[in-house]
Amino acid sequence: MKVRRGEVSKEPGERIRVVIADDHLLVRSGLEAVLALYDDIELIGQADNGEDAVRLCQRARPEVVLMDLVMPGMNGVEATQKILESCPGVKVVALTSFTDDELIEDTLRAGAIGYLMKNVSADQLAEAIRAAHAGRSTLAPEAADALVRAVSAPKPVPDTLTTREREVLTLMAEGLTNADIADRLVIGVSTVKTHVSNVMSKLGVSSRTEASATAIRRGFV
């Protein structure tokens, strides 16, 4: 439910404390005007760069931060990570114009609970702030699509695998036993076991069956 001035959605006097971090004065002014429409949201501070955003959060302890991602000096991703390290109770909502998949993944990996575009409506922004305060995520369609692509896209073979380990992984995925792999590659079984162990460790799996399944699922082979 939309809550504008003169209406009450929470306990009397209870307001969500918000900080804005954006290097453009016009954007900060516009957001300030938008947030002023809602009685359950209170703007308590503004920062025009990542470093100041971190210091402001450490001092003012907001509940929600609206974080621009591309700023001079410390960017929004790094600022998000540092804020959450020193103020773990803060919820960060990215508010940006950028839809790059890598940026979206990095932002959410840093701990942001939401990812919104700057063309979001006033009511949508207010609802995202309330959702963040309640521990719920709000993602723009572009961010949701990026996450789907990240999960479904085949992952490349880790660069840390040696040429021999790649060969062993391929043969494992084909269903060959350690003895079969040893015969195929003309190496000892004990050497194969060592390679299998290294492959499992680098893939982050606990069995050769899981390693084979991971290789096939991720398109390694």
Side-chain angles (χ1 to χ4, degrees), residues 58 132 142 150 159 182:
Q58 292 171 340
E142 295 87 347
D159 291 338

Side-chain angles (χ1 to χ4, degrees):
M1 180 179 69
K2 181 175 65 176
V3 181
R4 294 186 181 275
R5 286 195 175 278
E7 301 178 3
V8 177
S9 69
K10 305 174 66 178
E11 293 297 324
E14 185 181 0
R15 306 173 77 185
I16 303 172
R17 294 159 51 84
V18 176
V19 157
I20 297 170
D22 196 294
D23 61 326
H24 292 97
L25 176 59
L26 186 60
V27 172
R28 296 198 309 273
S29 298
L31 290 173
E32 181 179 6
V34 166
L35 298 185
L37 297 172
Y38 301 92
D39 276 350
D40 62 334
I41 298 173
E42 178 185 8
L43 178 62
I44 64 169
Q46 302 181 33
D48 61 6
N49 60 71
E51 292 89 345
D52 285 348
V54 174
R55 287 191 289 266
L56 177 58
C57 288
Q58 292 171 340
R59 182 177 71 253
R61 299 286 171 167
E63 294 167 298
V64 177
V65 178
L66 298 179
M67 179 70 72
D68 186 23
L69 297 180
V70 180
M71 296 182 287
M74 182 186 295
N75 63 36
V77 175
E78 186 178 356
T80 294
Q81 187 172 13
K82 290 186 176 298
I83 287 171
L84 296 180
E85 287 174 355
S86 59
C87 310
V90 175
K91 308 297 183 183
V92 177
V93 176
L95 189 60
T96 181
S97 301
F98 295 89
T99 59
D100 178 75
D101 282 10
E102 185 175 354
L103 180 61
I104 292 170
E105 292 178 43
D106 288 346
T107 301
L108 298 178
R109 193 176 296 115
I113 196 171
Y115 196 104
L116 301 177
M117 307 309 298
K118 284 185 176 178
N119 62 0
V120 68
S121 72
D123 288 345
Q124 289 171 330
L125 179 61
E127 287 301 325
I129 291 172
R130 296 181 188 119
H133 181 252
R136 301 191 306 273
S137 179
T138 302
L139 299 178
E142 295 87 347
D145 290 344
L147 288 184
V148 171
R149 287 191 292 270
V151 170
S152 61
K155 302 299 188 299
V157 179
D159 291 338
T160 53
L161 289 185
T162 65
T163 299
R164 180 63 83 186
E165 287 168 352
R166 290 167 183 258
E167 294 173 341
V168 169
L169 176 58
T170 299
L171 296 176
M172 288 168 60
E174 292 178 3
L176 274 64
T177 66
N178 286 350
D180 292 335
I181 295 174
D183 289 341
R184 181 76 64 86
L185 298 179
V186 195
I187 56 178
V189 174
S190 61
T191 302
V192 173
K193 290 181 178 178
T194 299
H195 288 316
V196 169
S197 177
N198 290 340
V199 167
M200 288 165 48
S201 175
K202 291 178 180 180
L203 292 181
V205 298
S206 58
S207 70
R208 76 179 274 126
T209 300
E210 188 179 357
S212 299
T214 299
I216 295 172
R217 185 174 65 250
R218 295 184 178 180
F220 290 179
V221 295

